[in-house]
């Protein structure tokens, strides 16, 4: 089956530093990837849609200069949290859409998430 | 706007008893509905989906869901719960964004606790 690898699984960084999270589709090409954020015991909040070769589309209220997304290839999207602060501490999950633009029943595959703690 | 609602924050059930996790939806047009499960500090695993066809959908790990158009519901069920089913369950509806069907709108999640 389709596998999405997300790395690192856990990261601790100091306030003011930047952290990069990678999301790779291992055995399929993903023209579209999605980045979600999840607070403890809460649902997933879509942050942005990442399209290969073009700029990401950010959801309302998400700072694009703070959460930099790059989707340079069909198998890799990265999320960089710039100048991290403690309030950025969260669980970040990526997902990938197999195929081109997908159809209504196209599978969406999820990574295992990254636990970011900013001290 | 598309949305799903999960009215229960938590469902407690004894092992061996039937498990039901509720979900209602609000969509314009045809609903494309999904159930996912999340274990602690992990991503989401796909359980099942309803696109068209039979109202009773069978999925992974013995789960099934019943689509009810008149009640706009898509409840997740399992006839006999296992302790290992304890996890966080999300109902989701697929949204057409531009020309991509990838965007999922998730419910708030329901924590399932199965006791031995």
């Amino acid at each position: 089956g389709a596998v999405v690898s997300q790395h690192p699984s856990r990261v601790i960084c100091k306030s003011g530093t930047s952290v990069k999270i990678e999301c790779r589709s291992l055995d399929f090409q993903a023209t579209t990837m999605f980045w979600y954020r999840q607070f403890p015991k809460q649902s997933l909040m879509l942050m942005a849609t990442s399209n290969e070769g073009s700029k990401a589309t950010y959801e309302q209220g998400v700072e694009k200069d703070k959460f930099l997304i790059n989707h340079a290839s069909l198998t890799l999207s990265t999320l960089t949290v710039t100048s991290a602060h403690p309030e950025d501490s969260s669980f970040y999950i990526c997902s990938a859409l197999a195929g081109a633009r997908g159809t209504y029943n196209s599978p969406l595959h999820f990574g295992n998430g990254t636990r970011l703690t900013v001290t | 706007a598309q949305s799903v609602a999960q009215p229960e924050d938590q469902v407690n059930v004894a092992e061996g008893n039937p498990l039901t996790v509720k979900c209602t939806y609000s969509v314009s047009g045809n609903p494309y509905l999904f159930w996912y499960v999340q274990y602690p500090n992990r991503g989401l695993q796909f359980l099942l989906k309803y696109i068209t066809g039979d109202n009773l959908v069978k999925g992974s790990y013995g789960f099934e869901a019943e689509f009810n158009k008149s009640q706009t519901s898509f409840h997740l069920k399992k006839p006999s719960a296992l302790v290992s089913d304890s996890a966080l369950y999300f109902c989701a509806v697929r949204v057409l964004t531009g020309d991509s069907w990838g965007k999922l709108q998730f419910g708030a999640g329901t924590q399932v606790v199965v006791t031995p």
Side-chain angles (χ1 to χ4, degrees), chain A:
Chain A
V3 176
V4 174
S5 174
Q6 188 172 341
H7 180 79
S9 58
R10 191 178 290 268
V11 59
I12 300 172
C13 71
K14 292 187 176 181
S15 186
T17 62
S18 295
V19 174
K20 180 184 285 187
I21 302 171
E22 293 187 347
C23 181
R24 293 180 184 273
S25 56
L26 295 186
D27 50 1
F28 66 99
Q29 293 184 333
T31 53
T32 305
M33 291 186 175
F34 302 88
W35 287 94
Y36 289 87
R37 182 174 180 176
Q38 185 180 29
F39 292 100
K41 297 187 178 180
Q42 292 191 27
S43 187
L44 281 74
M45 180 192 77
L46 180 64
M47 299 174 66
T49 302
S50 169
N51 296 298
E52 185 268 337
S54 64
K55 291 183 178 180
T57 303
Y58 290 82
E59 295 297 304
Q60 191 172 8
V62 178
E63 299 176 61
K64 59 182 179 182
D65 293 332
K66 174 129 185 98
F67 299 100
L68 299 179
I69 291 173
N70 184 278
H71 194 158
S73 78
L74 286 171
T75 59
L76 174 64
S77 175
T78 60
L79 167 67
T80 301
V81 183
T82 63
S83 187
H85 288 93
E87 56 266 31
D88 298 326
S89 298
S90 192
F91 193 56
Y92 294 87
I93 307 174
C94 73
S95 65
L97 182 65
R101 291 182 296 277
T103 65
Y104 54 85
N105 61 352
S106 298
L108 200 61
H109 309 285
F110 285 83
N112 277 331
T114 297
R115 173 73 59 193
L116 171 63
T117 303
V118 185
T119 61

Side-chain angles (χ1 to χ4, degrees), chain B residues 65-114:
Chain B
E66 185 170 9
F67 173 71
N68 188 316
K69 188 173 183 178
S70 63
Q71 297 184 4
T72 62
S73 67
F74 188 55
H75 300 331
L76 181 70
K77 299 180 180 182
K78 186 170 184 178
S80 178
L82 301 173
V83 173
S84 57
D85 292 328
S86 298
L88 189 56
Y89 291 79
F90 290 101
C91 184
V93 61
R94 172 156 272 164
V95 178
L96 177 62
T97 305
D99 60 355
S100 169
W101 277 103
K103 185 173 177 178
L104 286 180
Q105 186 74 40
F106 286 91
T110 298
Q111 182 69 47
V112 169
V113 178
V114 182

